[in-house]
Amino acid sequence: MFDSFARGLSIYKQNLIFIFKHPFMLIPYVFTLGINMVGMYYLYDWLYAPEMEVEITLLLIYLISVLSTFTIGITSLFILEMVEQLETVGKINIFKAIKDMVVQDLWQALPLILLWSVLDFILVILTAVTKRKSRNGHSSHTFLSRIVDTFRETIKLGMMVSFASVAWENYGIGYSYRRGVSVYKSHLTEILTGVGVSKITGFLTILILPVFYIMISLDLPIVTIIIVVALLFSIIWSMGKLVEQLYTAELFLWVKHYEKAREKAEKDGLEMPGSIRDVAQPSFVDNVFDLV
């Protein structure tokens, strides 16, 4: 377990280096956040009533899940196409990445995104049901609700593994789904580590508070304060989502290297590696083209 945790931290460190080398990759997720915020506003405005029926409430929650999973899924595929270019030719062609994402990836990923939206919807409901309700109407997490919420996060990372298979292998929907499930089951500790380290990025939102108080003390215009706070939040949120996708993509690539090493060892009659730890960890920040 410790080795799996160490592998997870190693991947996370490489992800942060990659983001600082390619900060423009945060931009697609910033747009994704904007689309989600606007979409949720209109969905809420369309369906909300002072006393909504249970069916309408569930419909609203599901539509928000569809919006979230679809936009994050499409953005992840776009990011993966750009990463593939970096790991094959060393430079990015944004228009080719968009074309490959739309023409090759989207139709394969849609069933996976639909499955994800359903699972996400169910787990959101289960999280809400298992929370502790107080007398004043507020709710707080229980041990069970945190387990459900963590499971929800692992499902998201598992789907991101499948997206890597869709973007980089192009073997069809069923194959990508099975690949995602296989990596999820055999490397669950690394997936759980990914959930944990992604929370580290989330803690950066605490930095918004001192910035907010400093701007208040400087008596800056309220519009300026709102813009700065919104920008900081969008960057931190986008960094979290990019870290998650890069983390799962690098884990998937490491598994591919491990599988190739086993095939080669078997072919050459050599001792086969016992785990991914026995093969060199790929990196998105070195000068090696790992997807060639």
Side-chain angles (χ1 to χ4, degrees):
M1 178 177 288
F2 179 79
D3 284 345
S4 297
F5 183 73
R7 286 194 290 269
L9 288 178
S10 178
I11 295 173
Y12 180 72
K13 181 179 70 173
Q14 297 294 330
N15 296 161
L16 292 180
I17 296 172
F18 179 89
I19 291 173
F20 282 109
K21 288 186 66 175
H22 306 283
F24 65 90
M25 284 201 178
L26 292 170
I27 297 175
Y29 283 111
V30 172
F31 279 106
T32 297
L33 177 61
I35 292 170
N36 271 274
M37 298 298 289
V38 173
M40 284 190 287
Y41 171 80
Y42 280 106
L43 284 172
Y44 190 78
D45 184 63
W46 174 43
L47 292 172
Y48 176 77
E51 295 183 2
M52 289 192 297
E53 296 180 359
V54 174
E55 293 83 357
I56 300 299
T57 302
L58 293 176
L59 175 62
L60 177 61
I61 295 172
Y62 177 65
L63 290 177
I64 290 174
S65 289
V66 171
L67 175 66
S68 174
T69 55
F70 181 78
T71 53
I72 292 174
I74 296 303
T75 305
S76 293
L77 291 169
F78 177 51
I79 293 295
L80 288 165
E81 288 294 344
M82 289 193 288
V83 171
E84 182 178 23
Q85 292 176 9
L86 286 174
E87 291 297 312
T88 52
V89 297
K91 58 183 180 179
I92 292 175
N93 183 327
I94 292 177
F95 298 105
K96 184 179 185 303
I98 294 174
K99 176 186 174 184
D100 290 345
M101 183 269 291
V102 173
V103 176
Q104 298 178 9
D105 304 341
L106 187 56
W107 68 272
Q108 295 184 61
L110 280 177
L112 295 173
I113 293 172
L114 179 60
L115 173 62
W116 181 19
S117 69
V118 172
L119 293 174
D120 189 68
F121 166 71
I122 293 171
L123 292 171
V124 166
I125 299 300
L126 286 176
T127 300
V129 169
T130 53
K131 282 185 175 181
R132 182 185 297 111
K133 307 298 186 298
S134 62
R135 292 181 179 179
N136 58 11
H138 296 293
S139 60
S140 59
H141 274 292
T142 63
F143 178 72
L144 182 57
S145 69
R146 291 189 185 279
I147 291 178
V148 175
D149 193 53
T150 300
F151 181 58
R152 180 188 174 208
E153 291 296 312
T154 66
I155 291 295
K156 176 177 62 177
L157 296 190
M159 286 297 173
M160 287 181 170
V161 172
S162 294
F163 293 155
S165 177
V166 168
W168 294 348
E169 295 183 317
N170 297 309
Y171 287 151
I173 302 168
Y175 179 85
S176 298
Y177 170 77
R178 290 192 296 273
R179 285 287 276 170
V181 171
S182 174
V183 174
Y184 181 91
K185 291 170 62 177
S186 57
H187 299 280
L188 183 57
T189 305
E190 284 90 348
I191 295 290
L192 286 169
T193 302
V195 173
V197 297
S198 68
K199 299 295 184 184
I200 298 174
T201 311
F203 289 143
L204 293 176
T205 53
I206 297 174
L207 298 176
I208 296 177
L209 286 176
V211 173
F212 176 77
Y213 285 122
I214 290 172
M215 291 189 295
I216 289 290
S217 64
L218 294 174
D219 199 25
L220 294 177
I222 187 64
V223 174
T224 302
I225 295 174
I226 292 173
I227 291 174
V228 172
V229 169
L231 183 61
L232 284 174
F233 177 79
S234 64
I235 290 173
I236 294 171
W237 185 89
S238 301
M239 184 181 293
K241 290 295 173 285
L242 183 55
V243 161
E244 289 173 347
Q245 184 55 74
L246 292 173
Y247 181 94
T248 53
E250 193 164 321
L251 175 61
F252 177 74
L253 188 57
W254 204 348
V255 171
K256 282 178 65 69
H257 281 211
Y258 164 68
E259 292 169 346
K260 287 182 179 179
R262 285 184 63 89
E263 291 175 3
K264 186 176 187 304
E266 185 177 14
K267 181 180 178 181
D268 297 341
L270 302 174
E271 182 180 357
M272 292 190 291
S275 72
I276 62 173
R277 192 70 173 176
D278 297 327
V279 300
Q281 176 185 345
S283 172
F284 296 146
V285 295
D286 57 19
N287 296 317
V288 178
F289 293 163
D290 290 304
L291 285 171
V292 173

